[in-house]
Amino acid sequence: QGQLVESGGGLVQPGGSLRLSCAASGFSNRYGAIAWYRQPPGKEREGVSCIRWNEGSTTYADSVKGRFTISSDNAKNTVYLQMNSLKPEDTGVYYCAIPAGCSGSAYSVIRSWGQGTQVTVSS
């Protein structure tokens, strides 16, 4: 089994920024995409962003477009989520995940989850 390890979460004021990292290791088979999901308190997990590993193309939830940026460092097997202009509704546990793909139903088919990192946006 491989693993995904998230880091970079914390407490931030509204309007502030955080940068999340996800390090992937130990996966025996190639994967074509890595995604960020989040789970607000008391709610279901929702997709935030996805990047196609080799192509570099990206997708974003409407709620984060223009504020969040996903990127990858292939040499380090690491994906990042730069989060700017944070809002209280961005609060939740953020998970790195390996989906089947970044489009349609493939986005919700998760092959592996990280353990999550807490992001709290509050004054």
Side-chain angles (χ1 to χ4, degrees):
Q1 293 184 329
Q3 65 176 349
L4 302 169
V5 180
E6 304 97 331
S7 62
L11 174 64
V12 66
Q13 298 285 312
S17 298
L18 285 173
R19 189 193 191 205
L20 306 183
S21 298
C22 172
S25 63
F27 292 93
S28 60
N29 295 323
R30 293 184 64 187
Y31 47 88
I34 298 183
W36 287 97
Y37 275 69
R38 69 186 181 189
Q39 186 167 19
K43 298 181 179 179
E44 297 181 350
R45 292 186 189 183
E46 60 184 5
V48 176
S49 185
C50 190
I51 184 168
R52 297 175 175 87
W53 193 255
N54 292 325
E55 299 176 10
S57 59
T58 59
T59 62
Y60 297 92
D62 288 342
S63 59
V64 306
K65 286 181 179 177
R67 299 189 297 119
F68 291 10
T69 302
I70 190 170
S71 62
S72 64
D73 185 334
N74 292 355
K76 296 181 179 180
N77 293 320
T78 300
V79 64
Y80 306 94
L81 186 67
Q82 178 67 46
M83 305 185 295
N84 298 325
S85 302
L86 283 161
K87 305 174 181 179
E89 50 262 47
D90 294 318
T91 293
V93 179
Y94 282 68
Y95 297 89
C96 185
I98 297 178
C102 289
S103 300
S105 61
Y107 190 26
S108 62
V109 178
I110 305 300
R111 295 168 174 170
S112 184
W113 291 103
Q115 293 301 304
T117 185
Q118 176 70 43
V119 172
T120 302
V121 184
S122 177
S123 60

